[in-house]
Amino acid sequence: MHIAVIGLGYIGLPTAAIFARAGAQVTGIDNSPRIVDALNRGEILIEENGLAEIVREMVLGGRLTASLKPVPADAFIIAVPTPITEDKKADMSYVVSATESILPCLKKGDLVVLESTSPVGTVDNLMLPILERSGLDPKTDLFIGHSPERVIPGRILDELVNNDRIAGGLTPEAASKIAELYRLFVKGNILETDSRTAELCKLAENTYRDVNIAFANELAMICESQGVNVWEAISLCNRHPRVNIHQPGPGVGGHCIAVDPWFIVEKEPGLARIIALSRKTNDAMPMRAAGEINRLLSGIANPVVTILGITYKPDVDDLRESPIIHLIKLLKARDIKIKICDPHVANRCVTCEGAALTADPVEAAAGSDLLVLGVNHSAFCDLDPVTLGEVMRHRQVYDTRSFLPLKAFAEAGFKTALLGAPEKL
Ligand code: SAJ
């Protein structure tokens, strides 16, 4: 079986590697010469647990190669970005160009599977008319559909194999062919349905999480006002057998949860009211954090803030839609000097948004008036409050994730603040 994976990003690359490991001959296609050249050398440019090793092995074994242009294959998997435009609409241009790019390669019996998260109707309203231009009948000559990825960055390789997977076909035959394709490596259940249902499910899963986080963030604001610690309250609520409230924080980032709900709102603006409000609630969190930081800095001339962690979530190197980047922009607009520590980003950037970036927390804390824990990277588990306090101008810390040992910081002379908790902890 020859599989072509179009788009070698956070999803396409691991998928290509896992198909190769399962015995398929895989060609990864990407329009970035940097990515293609690196892959053909057996190297990767992104950080994901265990991925570099598998890719190297598959490339050396000749089962995985990369190309700038599509090649004939038995199955085409489209895993290109579906970003969001300024006015919160899905930008489908990469899906359109990827679908057009495979037209010269298609033959009767081929599978075309969209993996990219897309608005409902993408397979039947957007891809089908393009695929018809191949001269083949997409309903009878091809097997087309949507099989959304559901993997969590950081655990992609494990979740690709072990999660249940939806196989949505334009026709029932297409659904079963797609299920058969993924059976090559998926150990979880493969659930067959139509392509529109598959598209909706993917959006609904991420929207469920976004709405739940918005609820947690709203509770955090309520708790601050009511003098209650939201982290303790949520952990107690979650001891109820049917309650699972997510964690509040400085906002929701990433290319999925912060984006996908808008794809539902785009289609149904009049109906998707809770969904749109939740998005706005989560998007307002960096502004709330900036307000608290301002309060902590009041009276300090030429303030300097050290941000610990800028990625969109812990232990990844991905900055897309990171709420902490948004927070940094808000602080810079208020003339606050920023220093950054992020061990996952410091290996490839020396600055971010014009601020110095280092992997060393002590270097980042030198001369600072406030430490802000933006992302709970495991590397921040063993921060030493005494050493940090010694190099700072003012000993203050603001934890937006309830991650730091604030008691130990207080004992080291720090004034402490926690998102979602009363001023006096
Ligand atoms: N976050 C919170 N509170 C929480 C959980 C997360 O504020 O309780 C924030 C994180 O800090 C981060 C953002 O939400 O900024 C998103 O992180 P995440 O870990 O929830 O999700 P992603 O974007 O890394 O991955 C999600 C996953 N979807 C679900 O869990 C429903 C993953 O399974 C999907 O495959 C992925 O989106 C995707 O590609 O769509």
Side-chain angles (χ1 to χ4, degrees), residues 2-20 24-31 35-36 39 63-80 98 101-102 111-116 160 165 181-182 185:
H2 186 181
I3 299 174
V5 177
I6 297 114
L8 294 174
Y10 282 91
I11 300 301
L13 183 55
T15 304
I18 293 277
F19 266 122
Q25 185 61 40
V26 181
T27 308
I29 292 121
D30 201 288
N31 54 16
I35 292 177
V36 167
L39 186 59
R63 296 240 286 280
L64 175 60
T65 54
S67 156
L68 286 165
K69 294 263 171 287
V71 293
D74 305 306
F76 296 86
I77 292 177
I78 296 179
V80 294
S101 75
I102 63 172
L111 277 82
V112 181
V113 187
L114 174 70
E115 277 212 18
S116 317
L160 261 181
R165 181 159 198 128
L181 172 69
Y182 284 98
F185 68 80

Side-chain angles (χ1 to χ4, degrees), residues 125-144:
N125 295 333
L126 189 72
M127 291 176 66
L128 182 107
I130 297 172
L131 292 170
E132 275 171 345
R133 284 159 36 198
S134 67
L136 297 161
D137 182 340
K139 287 200 175 147
T140 53
D141 296 336
L142 298 172
F143 301 102
I144 74 175

Side-chain angles (χ1 to χ4, degrees), residues 393-413:
R393 189 162 60 177
H394 288 94
R395 294 180 189 194
Q396 297 198 90
V397 60
Y398 174 44
D399 184 351
T400 67
R401 306 273 183 180
S402 190
F403 179 74
L404 295 174
L406 290 184
K407 233 175 123 207
F409 274 86
E411 280 161 15

Side-chain angles (χ1 to χ4, degrees), residues 26-351:
V26 181
T27 308
I29 292 121
D30 201 288
N31 54 16
S32 157
R34 243 181 101 234
I35 292 177
V36 167
D37 291 346
L39 186 59
N40 281 329
R41 289 195 305 270
E43 293 164 15
I44 65 170
L45 305 176
I46 54 175
E47 190 182 280
E48 177 59 40
N49 294 330
L51 183 60
E53 293 78 2
I54 299 185
V55 164
R56 197 176 320 113
E57 194 186 328
M58 292 304 119
V59 172
L60 289 179
R63 296 240 286 280
L64 175 60
T65 54
S67 156
L68 286 165
K69 294 263 171 287
V71 293
D74 305 306
F76 296 86
I77 292 177
I78 296 179
V80 294
T82 45
I84 194 148
T85 60
E86 285 280 306
D87 58 347
K88 309 293 184 198
K89 302 275 188 313
D91 171 359
M92 300 306 288
S93 56
Y94 298 104
V95 171
V96 168
S97 57
T99 312
E100 286 173 338
S101 75
I102 63 172
L103 289 176
C105 303
L106 288 174
K107 61 181 185 309
K108 194 168 186 301
D110 282 352
L111 277 82
V112 181
V113 187
L114 174 70
E115 277 212 18
S116 317
T117 306
S118 302
V120 175
T122 298
V123 169
D124 53 359
N125 295 333
L126 189 72
M127 291 176 66
L128 182 107
I130 297 172
L131 292 170
E132 275 171 345
R133 284 159 36 198
S134 67
L136 297 161
D137 182 340
K139 287 200 175 147
T140 53
D141 296 336
L142 298 172
F143 301 102
I144 74 175
H146 180 51
S147 184
E149 56 78 19
R150 297 169 131 179
V151 291
I152 197 102
R155 288 210 311 269
I156 290 183
L157 294 175
D158 170 51
E159 291 209 351
L160 261 181
V161 172
N162 294 311
N163 286 1
D164 288 350
R165 181 159 198 128
I166 296 175
L170 188 66
T171 61
E173 295 73 32
S176 99
K177 283 278 186 189
I178 293 169
E180 208 180 292
L181 172 69
Y182 284 98
R183 188 49 72 207
L184 276 177
F185 68 80
V186 172
K187 292 194 182 135
N189 298 304
I190 302 188
L191 312 155
E192 294 177 31
T193 184
D194 61 90
S195 57
R196 291 179 76 87
T197 305
E199 287 158 346
L200 188 279
C201 287
K202 169 69 200 190
L203 299 178
E205 290 161 13
N206 280 351
T207 301
Y208 158 79
R209 199 155 164 84
D210 198 44
V211 171
N212 196 326
I213 297 168
F215 174 60
N217 282 330
E218 191 164 295
L219 278 181
M221 295 182 250
I222 292 167
C223 284
E224 279 178 17
S225 170
Q226 293 287 313
V228 173
N229 180 328
V230 76
W231 307 92
E232 185 190 359
I234 288 177
S235 79
L236 294 175
C237 291
N238 286 351
R239 300 292 285 271
H240 184 293
R242 282 171 297 283
V243 173
N244 173 24
I245 306 173
H246 290 5
Q247 302 291 291
V252 168
H255 45 294
C256 306
I257 299 198
V259 169
D260 300 353
W262 290 119
F263 294 3
I264 299 181
V265 177
E266 173 185 347
K267 294 279 177 187
E268 295 293 350
L271 298 174
R273 292 185 302 170
I274 293 174
I275 297 173
L277 184 58
S278 299
R279 263 305 48 250
K280 287 178 190 155
T281 302
N282 289 335
D283 276 353
M285 292 311 288
M287 183 62 97
R288 286 216 42 114
E292 177 65 7
I293 291 169
N294 248 355
R295 191 185 67 76
L296 291 164
L297 294 174
S298 68
I300 297 178
N302 304 318
V304 179
V305 168
T306 300
I307 308 275
L308 302 171
I310 55 169
T311 56
Y312 86 90
K313 68 176 200 173
D315 299 332
V316 299
D317 66 348
D318 194 338
L319 295 172
R320 284 176 292 177
E321 314 290 331
S322 168
I324 306 303
I325 302 281
H326 189 42
L327 173 63
I328 289 172
K329 285 182 183 158
L330 292 170
L331 297 177
K332 288 196 67 153
R334 294 174 189 185
D335 283 334
I336 295 170
K337 185 176 174 207
I338 306 292
K339 297 177 79 183
I340 301 169
C341 170
D342 195 311
H344 294 271
V345 187
N347 55 358
R348 61 169 207 272
C349 309
V350 279
T351 60

